[in-house]
């Protein structure tokens, strides 16, 4: 066999090998694209408005409990309407005997949301644990998790979008995380009384600072004090 024929055979084999690689690469690319489409379907990215709608809608389908880590920021603008809707949902759920619990970062300005949600029937505790400051999620009935994502890192950043994930495994992991933080943190009543003592603020001044009706705050403090004495 001449050198020319040998080189031609080698060149043909290399060309065939190249074609096979190209075809395989195209097939793999289609598979990756299909996989990404499936992941996108399973983990839907929610806008801020969709995030709140998903939370409120999912809450009303709860049968046992709703727990979550939230920012507890003072609601402004449209968030005031959303907060009112959430309060109404909490009230309806707790009247049915469904447990609603929230962990909130341990900052005095978060007492506003803590007060509103507690008034609606939820149990609220305040955490100094760093992960509870910027990790936002809601877990519903061991089956569904809604994770909130801020525009940038930080406990003061608003939740701009989220992910609704129907996964029992993820719900179980976050439920365990929640209760590991919950048991060691301070209740809303305890934190409210602590802030009053530490700051020396009067109920009138604190009500103004937290944007809460003074009469309601005084009643809340009195009921907390009575409960403490009776225990």
């Amino acid at each position: 066999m001449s050198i020319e024929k040998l080189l031609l055979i080698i060149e043909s084999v290399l060309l065939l090998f190249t074609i096979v690689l190209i075809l395989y690469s195209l097939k793999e690319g289609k598979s990756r694209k299909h996989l990404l489409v499936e992941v996108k379907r399973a983990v839907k990215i929610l806008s801020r408005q969709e995030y709140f709608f998903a939370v409120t809608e999912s809450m009303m389908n709860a049968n046992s409990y709703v727990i979550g880590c939230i920012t507890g920021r003072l609601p402004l603008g449209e968030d005031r309407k959303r907060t009112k809707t959430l309060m109404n949902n909490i009230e309806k759920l707790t009247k049915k005997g469904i447990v609603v619990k929230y962990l909130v970062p341990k900052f005095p300005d978060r007492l506003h949301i803590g007060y509103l949600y507690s008034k609606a029937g939820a149990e609220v505790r305040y955490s100094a644990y760093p992960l509870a400051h910027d990790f936002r999620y809601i877990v519903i009935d061991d089956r569904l998790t809604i994770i909130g994502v801020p525009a940038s890192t930080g406990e003061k950043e608003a939740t701009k979008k989220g992910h609704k994930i129907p996964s029992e495994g993820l719900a179980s992991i976050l439920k365990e995380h929640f209760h590991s933080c919950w048991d060691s943190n301070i209740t809303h009543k305890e934190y409210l009384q602590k802030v009053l003592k530490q700051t020396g603020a009067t109920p009138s001044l604190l009500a103004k600072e937290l944007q809460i009706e003074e009469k309601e705050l005084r009643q809340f403090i009195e009921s907390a004090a009575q409960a403490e004495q009776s225990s």
Side-chain angles (χ1 to χ4, degrees):
M1 182 182 294
S2 64
I3 295 178
E4 289 81 4
K5 287 183 179 181
L6 182 59
L7 290 174
L8 182 60
I9 292 171
I10 294 173
E11 186 178 348
S12 299
V13 172
L14 289 174
L15 179 60
L16 180 62
F17 184 68
T18 302
I19 292 172
V20 170
L21 285 176
I22 291 172
L23 291 174
Y24 179 78
S25 179
L26 289 172
K27 184 179 179 181
E28 188 184 14
K30 289 181 181 179
S31 298
R32 284 200 300 267
K33 184 178 180 181
H34 178 71
L35 179 61
L36 289 172
V37 169
E38 291 301 316
V39 171
K40 188 175 180 181
R41 286 177 183 171
V43 185
K44 184 182 178 184
I45 298 176
L46 308 170
S47 67
R48 180 170 174 77
Q49 185 174 355
E50 289 173 331
Y51 169 77
F52 276 99
F53 178 76
V55 169
T56 53
E57 182 184 41
S58 299
M59 283 178 68
M60 295 314 296
N61 292 323
N63 297 314
S64 179
Y65 72 85
V66 177
I67 58 175
C69 281
I70 60 174
T71 61
R73 296 168 65 255
L74 187 70
L76 301 172
E78 289 296 316
D79 283 352
R80 291 177 179 173
K81 295 180 181 178
R82 295 177 181 131
T83 299
K84 191 173 182 180
T85 300
L86 287 171
M87 287 175 62
N88 291 335
N89 288 354
I90 292 169
E91 192 171 356
K92 290 176 183 177
L93 290 174
T94 52
K95 283 182 178 179
K96 293 179 182 178
I98 295 171
V99 174
V100 182
K101 295 181 178 181
Y102 290 113
L103 270 174
V104 183
K106 195 175 181 182
F107 297 118
D109 64 330
R110 311 304 162 95
L111 281 166
H112 176 83
I113 284 294
Y115 168 78
L116 294 179
Y117 286 3
S118 295
K119 183 181 176 183
E123 296 179 58
V124 179
R125 291 194 180 186
Y126 296 82
S127 175
Y129 187 49
L131 190 58
H133 289 188
D134 55 11
F135 190 28
R136 306 117 193 252
Y137 61 81
I138 304 291
V139 179
I140 300 168
D141 289 347
D142 288 333
R143 58 179 174 80
L144 177 66
T145 301
I146 303 173
I147 297 178
V149 182
S152 58
T153 303
E155 71 278 350
K156 294 184 179 181
E157 294 295 330
T159 302
K160 293 297 184 183
K161 58 183 180 180
H163 302 280
K164 185 177 180 180
I165 308 173
S167 168
E168 292 183 4
L170 180 61
S172 177
I173 292 170
L174 291 179
K175 181 182 178 182
E176 185 178 348
H177 167 265
F178 178 88
H179 285 295
S180 68
C181 296
W182 179 265
D183 295 337
S184 60
N185 283 293
I186 192 168
T187 67
H188 176 70
K189 291 180 180 179
E190 290 170 341
Y191 189 45
L192 181 58
Q193 291 172 331
K194 187 175 182 179
V195 170
L196 278 168
K197 291 178 181 178
Q198 287 180 341
T199 62
T202 63
S204 176
L205 182 61
L206 188 61
K208 185 177 180 181
E209 183 71 24
L210 299 178
Q211 299 183 30
I212 298 172
E213 289 292 332
E214 182 181 347
K215 182 179 179 181
E216 292 184 2
L217 181 59
R218 287 185 180 277
Q219 290 175 346
F220 190 80
I221 294 171
E222 288 173 5
S223 64
Q226 290 174 0
E228 187 178 356
Q229 290 175 358
S230 61
S231 61

